[in-house]
Amino acid sequence: MKKSILFLLLIIVGSSSKTQIDLSTDVSFHGVYQNAKVSYPIYDRLILGGSLGYNLTSNFLKERIDAVIGIKFDEWGQLELDLGAIGGYNKPGQDTNQSNKKHYVFHADIGLKLHFLNNMFCSIQLAYPGFFKFGLGVRLRPYNKLTIWDKQG
């Protein structure tokens, strides 16, 4: 419930500004994550923001919270660095006295996000932990806030 309210708040704030909202799914060795990323382009080059991800396939390393820093090459490609924490509950059979206690570990991804078909994108990233991850997603952004380059596409 809390995540749904946060997600709706991000969409409302993002629809009234230049904020970029990306909804995506990515796959790595640790599972399949659904993500919501909110970022803001500064001077149409530097990207700052944050993201929240949720693992659909495992209770261990269940949630991911990141700060996002990136550089846009143009409207079709950008380089992103995600730094944050990834965590969840213990695996069954591990330290049963603390099985209800959440544990977090450092998490970092660096890679490319390539846009196609106006607001669709794919991402390829080197990840720790997880070695690498691939993702597909959609960027939600009001049409009247797009650059002239995007409107022509």
Side-chain angles (χ1 to χ4, degrees):
M1 181 68 176
K2 290 178 185 178
K3 292 177 185 176
S4 300
I5 292 171
L6 177 63
F7 178 69
L8 290 174
L9 180 64
L10 293 176
I11 289 177
I12 291 168
V13 169
S15 66
S16 63
S17 68
K18 288 183 176 181
T19 303
Q20 302 171 151
I21 299 173
D22 297 342
L23 303 177
S24 65
T25 300
D26 60 52
V27 178
S28 72
F29 287 126
H30 288 293
V32 177
Y33 280 88
Q34 287 187 334
N35 306 297
K37 182 180 289 188
V38 177
S39 57
Y40 188 83
I42 300 173
Y43 302 115
D44 265 350
R45 281 283 186 229
L46 180 65
I47 299 166
L48 298 175
S51 70
L52 176 65
Y54 189 75
N55 193 340
L56 300 174
T57 59
S58 171
N59 282 334
F60 184 66
L61 301 180
K62 189 72 170 171
E63 43 194 339
R64 182 170 63 199
I65 301 167
D66 293 326
V68 178
I69 300 170
I71 297 174
K72 280 174 78 171
F73 301 122
D74 57 23
E75 287 302 314
W76 302 103
Q78 61 194 49
L79 177 69
E80 287 188 355
L81 172 66
D82 300 350
L83 298 170
I86 186 170
Y89 298 102
N90 286 341
K91 289 183 180 179
Q94 286 185 341
D95 198 6
T96 56
N97 293 334
Q98 295 185 5
S99 62
N100 291 330
K101 190 174 183 180
K102 286 189 177 183
H103 300 277
Y104 289 91
V105 295
F106 173 74
H107 155 69
D109 301 333
I110 187 166
L112 293 174
K113 182 182 283 185
L114 304 170
H115 295 268
F116 61 96
L117 297 176
N118 291 329
N119 288 348
M120 300 295 294
F121 65 86
C122 65
S123 63
I124 302 168
Q125 297 179 320
L126 293 176
Y128 173 80
F131 187 56
F132 63 87
K133 64 181 192 175
F134 297 103
L136 278 174
V138 63
R139 172 162 288 167
L140 303 178
R141 188 165 50 164
Y143 187 77
N144 61 358
K145 301 291 184 186
L146 294 177
T147 64
I148 292 172
W149 179 268
D150 281 344
K151 289 180 184 178
Q152 291 173 355

